Structures are given as C-alpha cells and as structure tokens.
Amino acid sequence: MTRSRTYELSMTTQGPLYPPSEVMNADGHFVVIGGINRARPNGEVTTGWGRALVAADSVLPPFGANAPYRIIRELPPELSAADEEMVLCTLPLPLPCSNYTAVMAPEQQPDPFGVVRPSYPFHQVPIPDLQPEDGPKVTAPVTLGQWVKARGSLTVTLVEQDTAADFRGEFQGLIPNSLYTVMAIRRRDLDPDGPSHPSPFGVPNVFIADEEGNGSYHARLPDPFPAPDSPTAGNRIVNFVVLWMSYQMNYGGAVGHHGLGSDIHAQLRLPGPGFTEFITHA
C-alpha cells in the first residue's frame, strides 16, 4: 500500500464546472483555466483542460450534468501582453451560471442565495469594517499574468498506523502579502442527489503568502481516506484546493460565506479527483 506521495498541483481559476470559473474579468466574462465543456459533432459534451473566456449566460444544466460553454475566445498557453494585464474580479451575487445548491456556511450565512452584490476588482473588494489607515496590503490590480504564476506541490503521508494522514503543501508565485485558505473536497460534496458544503482542510486552514508570493501549509487529518466501499466513504478526500480570499477573511468551520468566486477563488488544485492509492481507517 502506498504510504507517501508528492503531487504537483495545477494552477487554475476553477472549482467545480459550474460556475465555469471563480474569477471574472471587467467585462463580466468567466476567466477559465481548468475543465472546459465543449460540444462534439455527435452532440456529446466533453470536458478537457484548457483556457478560455466563457460567457456568463452559458447554458446551465442540472447539478451533476454538463453542457457546452459559450466560449467568447480561447486564451493561448502563452498569454498576450493585453491578456497578462487583464484585471481579475470577483463574481457577483447571486452567482451567475451556478447550479451548486449547498449552503457554504449554514450557521453564519443561512440564506446566501438572497444576497445581491456586484462584481468587484480583486483590489477593490469592500473588506468589512476596513479603514484606509488600517493599511490594506492588496491595493494594486491583480492581473491574469500575475495569477498564472502560481505553482505548488503537496506531499501526503499516512501516519498513526494508517488512522491519519499528514498533508504538506509548498507554494510559489502566489498573490503577495495576502490571505489564503485550504479546502478539502470530499466524495460527498460531489453527490448529484444532494451535495454537502466543502470543508476546511484542517482548522484553522489559513496561511499568508509572503512578499515574494511563497507560502506553505501543513495539516494532519483523521481518517481522510476511508475505503470506497465503507459506510464512511462519503468522507473520503478527493481533492486539495488552495483558495485566494478576496475579502481577506477566514470563516472558521466554513470555507466562505458564499463561495465559488464570490469570496473564495481556487488558484491551485489537483486537476481531477485523486488520492485513490490511499486507504485509512478510524
């Protein structure tokens, strides 16, 4: 049985496939780096890793299903100078093109779907109770050219006689001097019959990128990989996601109040469900 493995994390702007991205540009288009849904000539929908600007009015299928994105234009692997300078923004509320029904913070924000909020450039997000003299650290526009510099790795090691696992992440190229959190995606979160809200990857689940954009994170989680056929299989962790926090806030046992591009923004993750080689027990 595998006891330790190091994974390279993929830079992204995407959490689930809907909304298509957790980042927008000033024109209100999703900036997608991740899975892109496309139509094939036979009518099937395929999902492949890519980069594109996607329309916010793309067809929205039921949760668990996919429809082709309406692509405004492709983004090449080597960005143009203009694309590098693209200013990144939050998603508005209610979230456009979203079919994720789970409430992200049921105790703190039990009715998130009734909140109306515009899209904000990342550097102009209205942080609650902030005063100018408090010294906000993110004051210049965050650009796509800056975002795509993110890199990271994750080492997973089984410990405590396979009843727990250590997770150690090392990251570079992040947004300097800003708050990041780490989120666990568990098997139950992807259940089309009723997804649960994603959970923190340890509590507290925070780290601060330094002035050069470097950061690290460690957590030890109990029984993160129960056997797929066990009664607790829904708790099995299938992804590790590094989130940039546009409101520079942490939410305790929730990853965000609204999630999915409103106040959390995936920047690094595994490109698909992983950790299949690990089994733990309680």
Side-chain angles (χ1 to χ4, degrees):
M1 182 178 66
T2 300
R3 299 196 54 80
S4 183
R5 179 177 171 182
T6 297
Y7 302 84
E8 293 302 315
L9 301 174
S10 295
M11 180 274 302
T12 189
T13 61
Q14 187 183 64
L17 291 172
Y18 294 95
S21 172
E22 297 182 352
V23 174
M24 277 188 155
N25 66 9
D27 296 323
H29 303 319
F30 293 111
V31 182
V32 184
I33 301 174
I36 296 182
N37 291 338
R38 305 177 190 273
R40 299 186 64 180
N42 63 2
E44 293 182 357
V45 177
T46 61
T47 304
W49 198 272
R51 299 183 177 197
L53 296 182
V54 169
D57 63 356
S58 293
V59 172
L60 182 64
F63 182 76
N66 291 327
Y69 292 163
R70 186 165 76 83
I71 296 174
I72 304 298
R73 66 179 174 91
E74 307 284 347
L75 292 171
E78 294 295 327
L79 296 174
S80 68
D83 284 338
E84 286 190 344
E85 294 302 314
M86 187 184 299
V87 176
L88 304 183
C89 306
T90 68
L91 273 59
L93 291 172
L95 292 170
C97 204
S98 176
N99 57 17
Y100 196 73
T101 59
V103 175
M104 303 296 288
E107 293 183 17
Q108 301 171 64
Q109 184 63 257
D111 186 25
F113 305 112
V115 177
V116 177
R117 183 181 295 172
S119 172
Y120 295 103
F122 281 169
H123 68 297
Q124 294 177 342
V125 165
I127 297 172
D129 301 314
L130 177 70
Q131 306 169 102
E133 61 268 27
D134 294 337
K137 297 179 181 179
V138 180
T139 57
V142 177
T143 65
L144 182 57
Q146 186 178 18
W147 188 269
V148 300
K149 293 178 181 178
R151 300 289 183 272
S153 63
L154 172 70
T155 299
V156 181
T157 304
L158 299 189
V159 295
E160 298 179 359
Q161 299 178 321
D162 300 343
T163 64
D166 272 347
F167 300 82
R168 296 184 181 275
E170 297 292 335
F171 321 112
Q172 305 82 38
L174 302 178
I175 308 304
N177 298 316
S178 58
L179 181 70
Y180 281 83
T181 66
V182 183
M183 176 174 71
I185 301 296
R186 297 180 184 270
R187 187 173 170 182
R188 65 183 184 228
D189 301 334
L190 308 176
D191 182 358
D193 295 325
S196 62
H197 68 86
S199 53
F201 214 111
V203 177
N205 63 328
V206 303
F207 68 93
I208 304 291
D210 67 19
E211 60 186 7
E212 295 181 348
N214 300 315
S216 62
Y217 185 75
H218 168 254
R220 177 172 291 189
L221 268 61
D223 192 20
F225 306 120
D229 58 352
S230 70
T232 58
N235 291 337
R236 186 177 177 88
I237 291 176
V238 297
N239 215 318
F240 174 100
V241 188
V242 177
L243 305 169
W244 189 71
M245 307 300 287
S246 52
Y247 283 77
Q248 301 301 296
M249 297 173 65
N250 174 244
Y251 300 94
V255 295
H257 276 176
H258 306 281
L260 304 181
S262 174
D263 50 7
I264 65 173
H265 311 271
Q267 192 174 14
L268 290 169
R269 65 177 175 90
L270 298 181
F275 311 128
T276 57
E277 62 268 59
F278 293 110
I279 298 290
T280 55
H281 59 87

